Amino acid sequence: MKKTIIASVAVAIAASTGLLYAAHVLPLRQAAAKAAPPAPVPIVAGTVTQHDVPIYLTGVGTAIAYNTDVVRAQIQGQIISINFTEGQKVHAGDLLAQIDPRPYQAQIDQFTANLERDQAQLMNAKANQLRYTQLGDKGWATPQLIETQNAQVGELTAAVKADQALIDAARVQLSFTRLTSPIDGVVGIRQIDVGNIISPSSTNGLCVVTQLDPISLIFTLPETVLPQIQQQQQKTNSPMTVLAYNQDNTIRLGQGQLGLVNNEILQTTGSIQLKANFPNPTRSLWPGELVNARLLLDTRHNGLTVPAAVIQQGPTGSYAYVVNADDTVSIRQVKVAQISDGQALIDSGLSANEQVVVDGQYKLQPGTHVTLLHGKAAQEAAAQDAMQAPIP
């Protein structure tokens, strides 16, 4: 009987204790949990900077040789020597190959002999002309004889001139036995070997010499930017600057000047062709290479820039998260002029020296409290967020 009473009392005490906990302690703990603010979100922040910003028009083009010459023979003959190595750098006038000169030298010798013969005959005719003229003055020679001698002198004089002309022409033909480089450049693949007959009708010639310094770049831009280019050309009255980069924009290949805006628009693509010339002493540009071209249109003075990662895209356009003075964030609609080299040029929406969120945006909402990461912690957070952020 006593055990039953003790058990009943224990049960009653436990029940009353549970009711007390549910009525007083539990609500206090829940209220404390509701009152605790959420932990601030760690972010990487950057500053809106103000400086001069170049504005580029970007297109894709192909590098082409400044000059390309196919070395062809102007006479027919047998090649007796090749005087270059494929890929060799040559200068204008350098000997590339030699055609057998003996037939052409023999022709010169023949014409020279004819010239000497006619000169000797002319000398004799002039002597006779002088004698007949003296005899005619004394009445001992007829006028007909004197006129015949004068005609003979004229005929031989013309023959001497013809002989000299033949010699000059033969010397030109002899000079054609030396196949020389017409320009400074690089020699390509040899198209013919020693011992073969080469002629003006040979399809491929001897080789191709390509001038690489300077070099040209032909690239295209949308036809809609043509008025901007024309206005800038009239404004500055000087050649516009063009930069060349490799296909992934990691290596700057050269800086040149715009030489030509083509005189017609390509109707099939709605684009314009432009040609720029580049000094190329290191041969970083190569004929046929696909290149990204940037035409410097203008320079925005005191322009506002932020890292490109700051700019986010939403239903209403571009926006950025701005860090407020109380360490909360707010959304700011922005207008972007261009994004180049990892920097976004801002037309409107931000002010100089404002702090903006560079990394960690996918965790944020307007009014979220944030904590700024610096140094190594910022780098690690950016790397982690790059792995976790959803693919846009």
Side-chain angles (χ1 to χ4, degrees):
M1 184 68 177
K2 288 182 179 181
K3 290 181 180 181
T4 304
I5 294 173
I6 293 172
S8 300
V9 172
V11 171
I13 292 173
S16 61
T17 302
L19 292 174
L20 180 63
Y21 178 83
H24 298 283
V25 179
L26 185 59
L28 291 175
R29 290 189 176 181
Q30 291 177 345
K34 290 182 180 179
V41 176
I43 62 164
V44 179
T47 304
V48 181
T49 58
Q50 190 171 31
H51 55 93
D52 291 347
V53 182
I55 298 177
Y56 294 107
L57 299 176
T58 303
V60 177
T62 304
I64 62 172
Y66 195 78
N67 284 308
T68 300
D69 286 299
V70 180
V71 180
R72 300 183 185 277
Q74 300 186 59
I75 58 172
Q76 180 172 321
Q78 183 183 35
I79 293 181
I80 60 174
S81 68
I82 298 291
N83 301 85
F84 69 90
T85 303
E86 294 171 325
Q88 175 185 342
K89 185 177 181 180
V90 296
H91 299 284
D94 286 354
L95 179 65
L96 301 180
Q98 177 71 57
I99 297 175
D100 188 359
R102 291 175 298 175
Y104 300 95
Q105 183 61 53
Q107 198 172 32
I108 291 177
D109 294 340
Q110 178 185 354
F111 292 150
T112 301
N114 293 340
L115 173 63
E116 291 174 352
R117 180 197 62 197
D118 291 341
Q119 284 176 335
Q121 291 178 356
L122 176 61
M123 185 181 298
N124 183 57
K126 285 183 176 180
N128 290 335
Q129 182 188 38
L130 178 60
R131 286 194 292 267
Y132 288 139
T133 300
Q134 291 174 350
L135 292 173
D137 293 340
K138 297 178 180 180
W140 297 344
T142 63
Q144 182 179 4
L145 184 60
I146 296 174
E147 291 174 357
T148 300
Q149 194 61 37
N150 290 340
Q152 186 176 9
V153 169
E155 180 182 355
L156 291 173
T157 300
V160 168
K161 290 183 178 179
D163 292 339
Q164 186 61 54
L166 290 174
I167 291 173
D168 293 341
R171 285 175 176 167
V172 172
Q173 295 292 306
L174 179 63
S175 69
F176 290 157
T177 62
R178 291 173 50 87
L179 298 181
T180 60
S181 175
I183 58 173
D184 293 347
V186 176
V187 183
I189 298 174
R190 186 178 71 250
Q191 301 294 331
I192 194 169
D193 298 324
V194 174
N196 288 289
I197 301 297
I198 192 171
S199 68
S201 61
S202 299
T203 305
N204 298 322
L206 173 68
C207 62
V208 177
V209 179
T210 306
Q211 186 173 0
L212 302 180
D213 183 19
I215 197 169
S216 298
L217 171 65
I218 293 181
F219 61 101
T220 58
L221 292 173
E223 63 177 313
T224 53
V225 304
L226 180 59
Q228 302 177 47
I229 297 174
Q230 293 173 330
Q231 290 174 6
Q232 187 66 16
Q233 287 178 323
Q234 295 171 2
K235 177 182 176 182
T236 61
N237 197 26
S238 61
M240 301 175 69
T241 300
V242 180
L243 303 179
Y245 286 80
N246 64 343
Q247 294 185 46
D248 55 3
N249 290 316
T250 57
I251 302 175
R252 179 169 162 176
L253 303 176
Q255 176 176 327
Q257 292 183 334
L258 182 65
L260 167 71
V261 178
N262 204 8
N263 56 5
E264 63 178 353
I265 294 174
L266 301 176
Q267 297 296 324
T268 54
T269 59
S271 59
I272 54 173
Q273 283 186 317
L274 303 96
K275 182 178 181 181
N277 299 317
F278 292 76
N280 193 35
T282 61
R283 302 184 188 178
S284 55
L285 289 167
W286 202 259
E289 182 179 8
L290 191 63
V291 175
N292 290 330
R294 299 183 187 180
L295 175 64
L296 179 59
L297 183 65
D298 199 0
T299 299
R300 177 79 61 85
H301 297 289
N302 296 322
L304 300 178
T305 62
V306 296
V310 169
I311 305 303
Q312 304 294 304
Q313 298 297 326
T316 58
S318 301
Y319 68 92
Y321 280 102
V322 179
V323 181
N324 302 317
D326 59 354
D327 289 337
T328 61
V329 294
S330 58
I331 288 180
R332 190 84 57 82
Q333 297 294 324
V334 296
K335 184 177 180 182
V336 181
Q338 72 168 18
I339 296 179
S340 177
D341 294 330
Q343 293 290 313
L345 176 61
I346 305 301
D347 272 344
S348 62
L350 297 175
S351 302
N353 300 320
E354 282 189 308
Q355 280 195 321
V356 289
V357 179
V358 177
D359 193 79
Q361 293 96 331
Y362 74 97
K363 306 174 185 177
L364 302 179
Q365 295 291 334
T368 301
H369 281 78
V370 295
T371 180
L372 306 185
L373 299 178
H374 302 281
K376 186 177 181 179
Q379 297 175 0
E380 292 176 353
Q384 183 178 2
D385 287 347
M387 293 186 294
Q388 295 179 354
I391 299 176

